[in-house]
Amino acid sequence: MDVTRRTFLAAAGPALLPGPVARSRPADPFQLGVASGDPTAAGVVLWTRLAPRPLAADGYGGLPTGAVDVHWQLAADERFRRVMRTGRTVARRASGGSVHVEVDGLRPGTEYFYRFRAAGEVSPVGRTRTAPAPGALSAPLTFGAASCAHYEHGYFTAYRRLAEQDPDLVIHLGDYMYEYAPGRYRAAGGLVRTHTEGKCQTLADYRRRHAQYKSDPDLRAAHAAAPWVVVWDDHELENNWAGDSPGSPGVPGFARRKQAAMRAYYENMPLRRSARPRNGTIRLYRRLSWGGLADFHVLDTRQYRADQPCHDGARADCDVRLQQGRALAGPAQLRWLEAGLRTGTARWDVLAQQIFLAQRDTRLGPGRQVLLDTWDGYTAERDRLFRRIRSAGTRNPVVLTGDIHTAYASDLLTDFDDPASARVGVELVTTSITSDGDGYHDPAATAALRAENPHIAHIDQRRGYLLCRVTAAELRADFRTLPYITRRGAAASTAASFTIPDGARSLSGS
Ligand code: FE
Ligand code: CA
């Protein structure tokens, strides 16, 4: 036990100190770590989930019936000499032992440290940060973006390398966990570890799967390093689900799975109470401001969409994808987005969303093949999105994307078939943390695909994360790449870098 843990225990009074019979102590309830999220200029949400036996079959993590007292501290320093806030809450078994504390009244643009205490144990220490004061433009922002971390496909080294960059903020774009049964989704390099049994179906299944993912020390380190802004994609529930439609037609019980998945997602993520599931929905689209520098518009491209056209795969012959009126973000979310873009005054508008936005034709030469789970399966909705971004007069739109297990950088064009058409903004696609195994970089194939899609400037099929450094003058995006993830300990390096000057709305020249 280090000094800080001892101090916190002593402050609690002798009743909570470990007794002399150390072997009779219950297991550490903080094995799933700590996290923080959704910072404002005045506050942040602190998260933990008590689980002395994280993989207990009933999904309750070994938590006793009823409620457990949880104390928390927030300090200005890592050793908790200057404690700024303290509080008490309870972890309930019915809530899967999860704790979401919304701290308010903090100083803007300030680093804080936090920890919890329960059942005589003290949690690891997390670091977090508040956003700068409204309008503040001078302090640079460093944020990371990540997606797609299949537990069986590799080690979460990329999360560890991201944490080591001391980002101010981490944006997670979805596929935080995968619902598949063990071995159901195989990567080229084989599987390095095994999912909990069965495909996730029940609340207990989803809770245990989340617990298994957070048993990974690299993931816990990344959560403890910075506040996260999270949004789901499909695998937190089921591959390629869309609105009220399951990923595979005819599989019964989707509504029940969806309820279970969204509840487990809320319980396991550093989300504010405003995201607590209600009436079969979870409100994940939301806005965060980082001073006057950046507004983050977090989009949910799963919950409000029409089913994928012509089934879900890569297709050459699907006209349904071109039909008017098929929703992806949906009208309410698009209206909300445009209103935020219109009234916002930030230098950069970052749209944090899930699926590939630019057109992507994977058939070389004549004809076209597109992936129908992406915006290419909903082209009229993409046009509506672009019209709203342009009519709002957005100065610097930057779209963040995950899902595709490949790093991409693209210009967004009003007409992708006309390379001279107006630029809407840029899209930066982060590759996966582990999904699809070690991956590869094939310069010849990449060049051919870029020739087919001239608006695409960068493609890399290795694993990693995206690191962005934002100032009033420019946004620099570093594609951080790991040579392997099927063994531990890989270093990360920058495989490609793009600098987007204020007002450019394009990668060209960078
Ligand atoms: Fe994925
Ligand atoms: Ca083609």
Side-chain angles (χ1 to χ4, degrees):
M1 185 188 297
D2 63 25
V3 175
T4 54
R5 283 169 72 99
R6 201 185 296 280
T7 314
F8 196 16
L9 284 172
L16 282 176
L17 286 168
V21 190
R23 68 181 176 276
S24 70
R25 276 174 58 193
D28 180 3
F30 293 109
Q31 295 173 54
L32 304 182
V34 299
S36 69
D38 280 22
T40 64
V44 69
V45 54
L46 309 179
W47 173 93
T48 191
R49 180 182 161 206
L50 302 194
R53 287 185 295 118
L55 300 184
D58 61 8
Y60 288 110
L63 207 66
T65 320
V68 178
D69 276 347
V70 181
H71 297 257
W72 57 269
Q73 287 182 323
L74 183 108
D77 67 304
E78 201 165 0
R79 300 183 74 77
F80 291 82
R81 295 215 169 93
R82 287 180 291 140
V83 173
M84 314 301 284
R85 291 275 189 292
T86 62
R88 208 198 105 209
T89 183
V90 290
R92 293 179 199 284
R93 183 176 148 95
S95 305
S98 66
V99 172
H100 299 78
V101 175
E102 294 187 40
V103 187
D104 225 324
L106 303 179
R107 292 166 58 91
T110 304
E111 181 180 70
Y112 291 98
F113 298 87
Y114 61 94
R115 60 185 176 181
F116 300 88
R117 172 170 52 77
E121 296 286 337
V122 178
S123 76
V125 172
R127 186 180 65 168
T128 192
R129 163 173 286 285
T130 50
L137 199 57
S138 55
L141 159 67
T142 300
F143 73 85
S147 74
C148 295
H150 196 297
Y151 183 80
E152 297 183 324
H153 288 189
Y155 299 105
F156 290 167
T157 319
Y159 280 141
R160 171 79 60 175
R161 298 295 172 248
L162 170 53
E164 289 166 355
Q165 294 290 326
D166 291 341
D168 299 310
L169 198 63
V170 172
I171 313 290
H172 201 288
L173 298 164
D175 290 1
Y176 179 94
M177 58 80 110
Y178 283 72
E179 82 287 11
Y180 291 120
R184 187 69 181 76
Y185 172 15
R186 304 200 74 84
L191 307 180
V192 304
R193 43 192 184 178
T194 306
H195 270 161
T196 49
E197 64 269 20
K199 178 191 166 184
C200 291
Q201 309 262 9
T202 66
L203 179 57
D205 295 339
Y206 284 105
R207 281 173 167 166
R208 294 180 72 217
R209 190 61 62 82
H210 274 285
Q212 180 177 41
Y213 275 58
K214 284 216 174 68
S215 74
D216 183 286
D218 294 332
L219 175 55
R220 290 201 307 275
H223 275 298
W228 283 37
V229 175
V230 304
V231 62
W232 67 5
D233 187 24
D234 53 342
H235 287 288
E236 288 86 349
L237 199 176
E238 181 168 85
N239 181 45
N240 281 5
W241 71 279
D244 294 324
S245 307
S248 309
V251 179
F254 177 67
R256 218 172 40 244
R257 281 201 300 287
K258 187 176 176 183
Q259 296 257 24
M262 65 175 63
R263 188 165 160 193
Y265 187 72
Y266 172 77
E267 288 174 354
N268 284 279
M269 292 294 147
L271 287 162
R272 290 181 181 271
R273 272 187 298 275
S274 52
R276 205 152 127 187
R278 289 188 186 81
N279 307 320
T281 66
I282 179 170
R283 173 71 184 254
L284 289 173
Y285 71 82
R286 61 199 191 278
R287 194 149 24 239
L288 292 101
S289 286
W290 199 266
L293 195 58
D295 281 346
F296 289 88
H297 311 265
V298 181
L299 305 185
D300 179 342
T301 60
R302 284 287 158 196
Q303 217 175 161
Y304 313 101
R305 69 155 91 184
D307 200 8
Q308 292 89 348
C310 315
H311 310 295
D312 303 353
R315 289 284 291 270
D317 57 347
C318 175
D319 287 341
V320 180
R321 73 186 189 93
L322 308 172
Q323 280 175 3
Q324 287 297 320
R326 293 179 57 258
L328 182 51
Q333 187 173 193
L334 282 182
R335 275 196 304 277
W336 165 88
L337 174 63
E338 185 180 355
L341 292 172
R342 210 173 266 288
T343 56
T345 55
R347 180 64 50 95
W348 302 87
D349 282 290
V350 181
L351 278 60
Q353 57 104 48
Q354 291 75 59
I355 50 169
F356 208 88
L357 177 55
Q359 178 171 289
R360 194 177 63 121
D361 175 10
T362 54
R363 171 167 294 178
L364 303 183
R368 177 165 292 167
Q369 175 165 291
V370 298
L371 193 58
L372 296 172
D373 184 53
T374 71
W375 288 84
D376 273 333
Y378 304 76
T379 57
E381 183 91 330
R382 179 167 61 200
D383 291 342
R384 285 189 283 274
L385 172 68
F386 285 4
R387 275 201 301 275
R388 285 176 184 270
I389 292 172
R390 282 166 60 78
S391 75
T394 312
R395 178 165 169 165
N396 290 302
V398 176
V399 177
L400 301 179
T401 300
D403 178 55
I404 201 104
H405 310 171
T406 304
Y408 279 86
S410 307
D411 276 355
L412 298 170
L413 274 55
T414 45
D415 178 0
F416 286 103
D417 294 326
D418 175 7
S421 66
R423 264 60 186 162
V424 179
V426 303
E427 179 178 25
L428 303 169
V429 183
T430 186
T431 186
S432 62
I433 293 290
T434 57
S435 301
D436 285 335
D438 289 337
Y440 56 90
H441 183 53
D442 181 340
T446 293
L449 192 53
R450 285 185 52 203
E452 191 70 26
N453 301 273
H455 52 279
I456 296 179
H458 173 67
I459 307 171
D460 191 327
Q461 289 174 284
R462 290 170 292 189
R463 307 288 76 86
Y465 63 90
L466 182 68
L467 191 69
C468 293
R469 188 176 160 86
V470 192
T471 66
E474 64 181 37
L475 182 149
R476 194 187 79 211
D478 290 343
F479 286 92
R480 303 284 293 168
T481 303
L482 281 70
Y484 53 86
I485 46 83
T486 53
R487 289 170 289 130
R488 298 180 191 273
S493 61
T494 299
S497 207
F498 294 89
T499 300
I500 304 147
D502 173 30
R505 288 195 291 272
S506 171
L507 298 164
S508 58
S510 67

